[in-house]
Amino acid sequence: MTAHGLIRTDLALEAREALLKEARREVAGIETSGRTTAHTRVTRVKVTSEAGARRLGKPPGTYITIEAPELRQGSRVVASEVAEVLTAELGALAGLPEKAGILVIGLGNWNATPDALGPRVVDSVMVTRHLFEYAPQELKGGLRSVAALAPGVLGLTGIETEEIVKGVVQHIRPDLVVAIDALAARSLERVCTTVQLSDSGIHPGSGVGNKRLGLTAESLGTRVIAVGVPTVVHATTLASDALDLMLGTLSRADGGGAKLAEAFTPAERQKLVRELLPDHWEDLFITPKEIDALIADTARVLASGLNAALHPRVTAAEGERYLQ
């Protein structure tokens, strides 16, 4: 998780926005490009140096963010488009040969709805490794060998996620691990409307401040692509936003209000929020009241896109029909 002042986020895009606001210019070692479709905006943030990684608070690598503000409205058209964009971006990022083997890991706690995205996606992934073990060659056309696992969390199993995944990787030796996880965002508008892909690995639980062992190419000995969707925001970010709105209103007022607003520097605003908020707010995260439905819908979108990206002859539409 990245922290710029009170900015707490797992999204490289939000970390870059905060860094630009702070530095007021582009930062060396961080490259950005983007494109748009009818209902999505795709932004690619590439961290190319250790200096850029330190400034951004993210390891070197490529971070692709797919934003679709209308996704939370339940539109099937938007959901299908997001799945298609995810298929294209994940396919390009992975660059897999046709006979590659993939292990999909659904991170998170299936007993806690905001953290259940990974296990929900795994439930709908087209697993085919058993077919490659026993089926004749003519039945394998257009499919890759895909296995899937939801290892749970340390509090449920007593075993670090990295230890479980590493044991499975050493046994089945996949060419790629795709790790699905719930993230924390800076902006409430990005909750369940944004998908982030990254080739730098992932640290389970980092979004809510838990220090867990990471799933990376170095720790697992194979390539790792992380796919995440923010499902929560930190309470302090909302309090900070409320203070900014109040000071913005005062700055437009006549007389003493404008002077009061001008007196608060960014550092003083952060200090005020920390002083006003109770200590236990450090562990408080907020999620929408309809998170049950949002997790179900988001899991379907991710599974549809993954099924098409991982299997050469499966389209996003066919991947979605598999779920029905």
Side-chain angles (χ1 to χ4, degrees), residues 40-109:
T40 73
R41 180 170 63 251
V42 181
T43 306
R44 184 181 299 262
V45 177
K46 192 171 184 178
V47 183
T48 59
S49 70
E50 290 296 336
R54 286 192 297 271
R55 292 294 303 277
L56 192 68
K58 298 288 182 184
T62 300
Y63 300 84
I64 301 168
T65 307
I66 305 168
E67 297 177 87
E70 299 171 286
L71 189 58
R72 282 174 58 171
Q73 299 175 8
S75 168
R76 292 185 63 85
V77 172
V78 175
S80 296
E81 185 173 323
V82 172
E84 291 174 0
V85 173
L86 174 60
T87 297
E89 294 294 337
L90 180 57
L93 187 63
L96 291 171
E98 186 168 343
K99 295 184 179 181
I102 303 103
L103 173 62
V104 180
I105 301 295
L107 299 170
N109 184 347

Side-chain angles (χ1 to χ4, degrees), residues 92-284:
L93 187 63
L96 291 171
E98 186 168 343
K99 295 184 179 181
I102 303 103
L103 173 62
V104 180
I105 301 295
L107 299 170
N109 184 347
W110 48 75
N111 294 322
T113 303
D115 197 32
L117 180 65
R120 294 283 186 88
V121 173
V122 162
D123 284 343
S124 298
V125 166
M126 292 175 62
V127 292
T128 56
R129 183 171 178 269
H130 56 301
L131 300 178
F132 280 75
E133 292 288 334
Y134 305 110
Q137 185 62 40
E138 58 268 20
L139 296 182
K140 303 176 185 178
L143 301 178
R144 290 192 178 98
S145 174
V146 174
L149 172 69
V153 294
L154 183 64
L156 295 176
T157 64
I159 309 172
E160 287 282 2
T161 300
E162 188 261 357
E163 294 174 328
I164 297 174
V165 176
K166 190 171 184 178
V168 175
V169 167
Q170 290 175 344
H171 182 73
I172 71 173
R173 301 187 181 281
D175 299 291
L176 175 70
V177 171
V178 179
I180 317 295
D181 201 8
L183 307 177
R186 165 66 179 84
S187 168
L188 190 59
E189 283 71 28
R190 287 191 167 111
V191 170
C192 293
T193 66
T194 301
V195 182
Q196 175 176 271
L197 311 178
S198 169
D199 61 3
S200 63
I202 195 168
H203 292 265
S206 64
V208 293
N210 293 333
K211 303 300 182 183
R212 299 270 75 89
L213 298 174
L215 304 181
T216 65
E218 292 74 22
S219 66
L220 298 181
T222 191
R223 293 178 60 207
V224 178
I225 290 181
V227 181
V229 174
T231 61
V232 297
V233 295
H234 198 275
T236 57
T237 66
L238 296 184
S240 180
D241 287 347
L243 179 60
D244 288 342
L245 287 172
M246 183 189 72
L247 293 177
T249 300
L250 289 175
S251 68
R252 293 188 294 272
D254 296 330
K259 293 181 180 180
L260 177 63
E262 292 174 2
F264 280 90
T265 64
E268 289 170 336
R269 295 183 187 191
Q270 294 174 15
K271 181 181 178 182
L272 179 61
V273 171
R274 290 193 181 97
E275 290 176 349
L276 291 177
L277 296 182
D279 291 339
H280 65 267
W281 276 43
E282 280 296 314
D283 298 320
L284 181 60

